C-alpha cells in the first residue's frame, strides 16, 4: 500500500540529508518532492501547503548535517499529522448510541458518484452496525439508476435487513422520509440512506441531495470516494462538500491503493476527517481510518513523532 507516497517522502528526506540547507537546494528538493507527490495523487493545494510549511521550518534553520534527514522526516510527519488532527474525528458508533439514548434514530446519508463503491460501503457500514447490535433500516433513495434498488435490496437481503423502497423515478426525499418514519415507529436505531450517484446533470444531483437533506435532516452525511480515482476523487469531494457540507469521508479500495494521496487530499480540501477506509469486497473489509497507521505506512516503522526540533544555531 501507498508505495508511491512512501517513496515520494523518503526520497525528499534523503536528498535533504545529502545537502547543506542553502535556499537554492531547498527549492530544488521541494520541486522534486512536488513532482513525486503529484504522482502519488496528492492534490495541488496539499502539495503547496506541505511545501510552504516545510520551507518555513527549513529556511534559516541550521541543522547538523547528520540530523537533517531526521529533521525533515519529522517536519513532514508533523505537517501531515497536524492536517489530520485539524479535521477532527467522528465516532459513528458513539453518535448512534447517543441518539438512541435520546430515543431517536440516527440518520446517515451516503453521497458520492456511481462506481466509487458507495452501495458496497453502505452495506459494510450496515454490517458493522449490526455487529455492534444496532437495528437498521435502509432507504433505497437512488431511484434514478436502473438496478440501484435491486442492488441495495440484495445487500439488505444478505444482511437480513429491511429496505424501504418505491419505484424508479419516485422522489428520493419521500423514500428517505418513509424510512425515517418507519424507524421512528419501530424504534429502529439507524437509517442508512443510499442516494443517486449520477443524474442528468451534476446540478440535478446536488439539488436532489439538498432536498433529501432538508426533508430528513441527517445526523451524518458521509461522502464515499474511490481512493484509486486520483484527481476525480478530489474534484468530487470538493463539489459534494460545497453542496452538502458532508461530515466526513469513507475512502474505498484502499487495499489496492499504491499511491496513497487520496486521504491527504480529501482531508485538506474539505477539512473533514476520513472516517473509514474500504479494504476489500467483503462486508467486514472496512477499517477506521488510523492516522498513526497511515504515517507508519508512509514513513516507515518506529516513527517518533515527538523528536524535538533541533535548536537554531547562533
Ligand atoms: P457504487 O456504484 O458506487 O454503488 O459502487 P459499488 O458498491 O457497486 O462498487 C463498485 C465495485 O467496487 C464493486 O465491484 C465492489 O465490490 C468494489 N469495491 C467497493 N469497495 C471496495 C474496496 O474497499 N476494495 C475493493 N477492492 N473493492 C471495492
Amino acid at each position: 500500500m501507498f508505495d508511491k507516497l512512501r517513496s515520494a517522502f523518503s526520497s525528499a528526506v534523503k536528498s535533504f540529508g545529502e545537502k547543506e540547507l542553502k535556499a537554492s537546494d531547498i527549492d530544488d528538493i521541494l520541486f522534486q518532492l512536488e513532482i513525486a507527490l503529484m504522482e502519488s495523487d496528492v492534490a495541488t493545494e496539499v502539495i503547496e501547503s506541505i511545501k510552504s510549511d516545510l520551507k518555513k521550518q527549513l529556511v534559516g534553520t541550521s541543522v547538523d548535517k547528520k540530523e537533517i534527514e531526521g529533521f525533515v522526516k519529522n517536519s513532514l510527519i508533523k505537517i501531515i499529522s497536524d492536517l489530520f488532527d485539524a479535521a477532527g474525528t467522528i465516532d459513528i458508533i458513539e453518535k448512534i448510541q447517543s441518539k438512541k439514548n435520546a430515543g431517536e434514530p440516527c440518520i446517515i446519508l451516503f453521497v458520492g458518484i456511481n462506481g466509487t463503491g458507495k452501495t458496497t460501503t453502505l452495506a459494510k457500514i450496515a454490517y458493522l452496525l449490526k455487529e455492534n447490535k444496532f437495528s437498521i433500516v435502509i432507504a433505497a433513495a437512488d431511484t434514478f439508476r436502473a438496478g440501484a434498488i435491486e442492488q441495495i435490496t440484495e445487500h439488505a437481503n444478505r444482511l437480513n435487513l429491511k429496505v424501504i423502497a418505491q419505484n424508479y423515478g419516485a422522489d428520493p426525499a419521500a423514500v428517505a422520509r418513509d424510512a425515517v418514519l418507519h424507524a421512528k415507529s419501530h424504534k429502529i436505531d439507524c437509517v442508512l440512506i443510499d442516494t443517486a450517484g449520477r443524474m442528468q446533470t451534476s446540478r440535478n444531483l446536488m439539488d436532489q441531495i439538498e432536498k433529501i437533506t432538508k426533508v430528513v435532516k441527517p445526523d451524518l452525511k458521509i461522502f464515499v470516494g474511490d481512493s484509486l480515482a486520483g484527481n476525480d476523487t478530489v474534484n468530487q469531494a470538493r463539489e459534494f462538500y460545497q453542496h452538502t457540507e458532508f461530515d466526513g469521508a469513507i475512502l474505498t479500495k484502499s487495499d489496492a491503493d499504491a499511491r496513497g494521496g487520496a486521504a491527504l487530499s480529501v482531508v485538506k480540501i474539505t477539512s473533514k476527517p476520513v472516517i473509514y477506509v474500504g479494504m476489500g469486497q467483503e462486508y467486514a473489509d472496512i477499517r477506521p481510518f488510523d492516522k498513526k497507521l497511515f504515517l507508519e505506512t508512509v514513513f516507515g516503522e518506529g516513527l517518533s513523532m515527538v523528536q524535538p526540533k533541533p535548536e537554531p544555531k547562533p
Side-chain angles (χ1 to χ4, degrees), residues 52-124:
S52 94
D53 287 356
L54 189 58
K55 192 165 182 175
K56 255 183 247 151
Q57 304 213 18
L58 293 173
V59 170
T61 310
S62 167
V63 188
D64 231 41
K65 209 163 184 256
K66 50 183 182 327
E67 287 171 21
I68 293 176
E69 206 174 307
F71 175 68
V72 173
K73 181 172 171 180
N74 283 336
S75 303
L76 283 170
I77 290 171
K78 176 149 187 353
I79 291 165
I80 293 171
S81 177
D82 288 351
L83 172 70
F84 287 132
D85 288 347
T89 51
I90 292 176
D91 186 332
I92 293 189
I93 306 290
E94 202 177 273
K95 180 106 192 162
I96 298 172
Q97 189 60 52
S98 81
K99 290 285 296 193
K100 186 179 164 108
N101 295 345
E104 290 278 328
C106 185
I107 301 163
I108 307 180
L109 184 75
F110 291 79
V111 300
I113 296 292
N114 286 343
T116 54
K118 179 156 50 77
T119 316
T120 311
T121 300
L122 186 150
K124 287 177 177 179

Side-chain angles (χ1 to χ4, degrees), residues 113-120 124 145 151 252-255 278-281:
I113 296 292
N114 286 343
T116 54
K118 179 156 50 77
T119 316
T120 311
K124 287 177 177 179
R145 178 173 66 92
Q151 192 187 347
T252 62
K253 308 176 197 174
S254 223
D255 48 310
M279 295 295 295
Q281 306 205 23

Side-chain angles (χ1 to χ4, degrees), residues 124-139:
K124 287 177 177 179
I125 293 290
Y127 174 85
L128 178 86
L129 299 180
K130 225 179 138 193
E131 294 279 290
N132 281 274
K133 311 279 177 253
F134 290 118
S135 51
I136 298 142
V137 62
I138 294 175

Side-chain angles (χ1 to χ4, degrees), residues 23-270:
S24 58
D25 294 331
I26 294 177
D27 286 340
D28 187 29
I29 291 162
L30 289 177
F31 179 71
Q32 301 301 329
L33 177 66
E34 173 172 351
I35 303 291
L37 290 178
M38 283 170 90
E39 287 172 354
S40 313
D41 281 349
V42 178
T44 319
E45 292 96 318
V46 190
I47 299 176
E48 287 309 318
S49 116
I50 290 178
K51 274 173 55 188
S52 94
D53 287 356
L54 189 58
K55 192 165 182 175
K56 255 183 247 151
Q57 304 213 18
L58 293 173
V59 170
T61 310
S62 167
V63 188
D64 231 41
K65 209 163 184 256
K66 50 183 182 327
E67 287 171 21
I68 293 176
E69 206 174 307
F71 175 68
V72 173
K73 181 172 171 180
N74 283 336
S75 303
L76 283 170
I77 290 171
K78 176 149 187 353
I79 291 165
I80 293 171
S81 177
D82 288 351
L83 172 70
F84 287 132
D85 288 347
T89 51
I90 292 176
D91 186 332
I92 293 189
I93 306 290
E94 202 177 273
K95 180 106 192 162
I96 298 172
Q97 189 60 52
S98 81
K99 290 285 296 193
K100 186 179 164 108
N101 295 345
E104 290 278 328
C106 185
I107 301 163
I108 307 180
L109 184 75
F110 291 79
V111 300
I113 296 292
N114 286 343
T116 54
K118 179 156 50 77
T119 316
T120 311
T121 300
L122 186 150
K124 287 177 177 179
I125 293 290
Y127 174 85
L128 178 86
L129 299 180
K130 225 179 138 193
E131 294 279 290
N132 281 274
K133 311 279 177 253
F134 290 118
S135 51
I136 298 142
V137 62
I138 294 175
D142 179 357
T143 60
F144 182 77
R145 178 173 66 92
I149 299 175
E150 289 79 4
Q151 192 187 347
I152 197 78
T153 305
E154 194 181 322
H155 283 300
N157 289 343
R158 277 194 226 145
L159 292 165
N160 204 14
L161 297 173
K162 183 167 177 64
V163 180
I164 302 292
Q166 294 181 16
N167 294 326
Y168 286 103
D171 180 359
V175 179
R177 190 196 47 216
D178 281 359
V180 172
L181 291 175
H182 177 89
K184 285 185 174 162
S185 63
H186 292 79
K187 296 252 167 290
I188 286 172
D189 303 325
C190 33
V191 184
L192 306 183
I193 305 172
D194 188 24
T195 59
R198 187 170 305 124
M199 293 204 56
Q200 298 87 347
T201 66
S202 157
R203 185 68 252 171
N204 290 143
L205 178 61
M206 297 304 160
D207 286 349
Q208 185 175 89
I209 293 170
E210 280 168 29
K211 182 173 176 196
I212 302 174
T213 302
K214 279 202 184 106
V215 172
V216 300
K217 299 188 179 53
D219 298 288
L220 277 179
K221 285 169 275 181
I222 297 177
F223 165 76
V224 179
D226 179 341
S227 33
L228 306 181
N231 253 337
D232 281 351
T233 304
V234 174
N235 292 334
Q236 289 158 18
R238 188 184 283 112
E239 186 173 11
F240 274 98
Y241 187 67
Q242 273 167 6
H243 291 277
T244 68
E245 286 198 14
F246 57 73
D247 301 285
I250 298 181
L251 294 175
T252 62
K253 308 176 197 174
S254 223
D255 48 310
D257 184 9
R259 287 172 287 190
L264 271 178
S265 306
V266 169
V267 170
K268 173 74 186 173
I269 278 156
T270 64

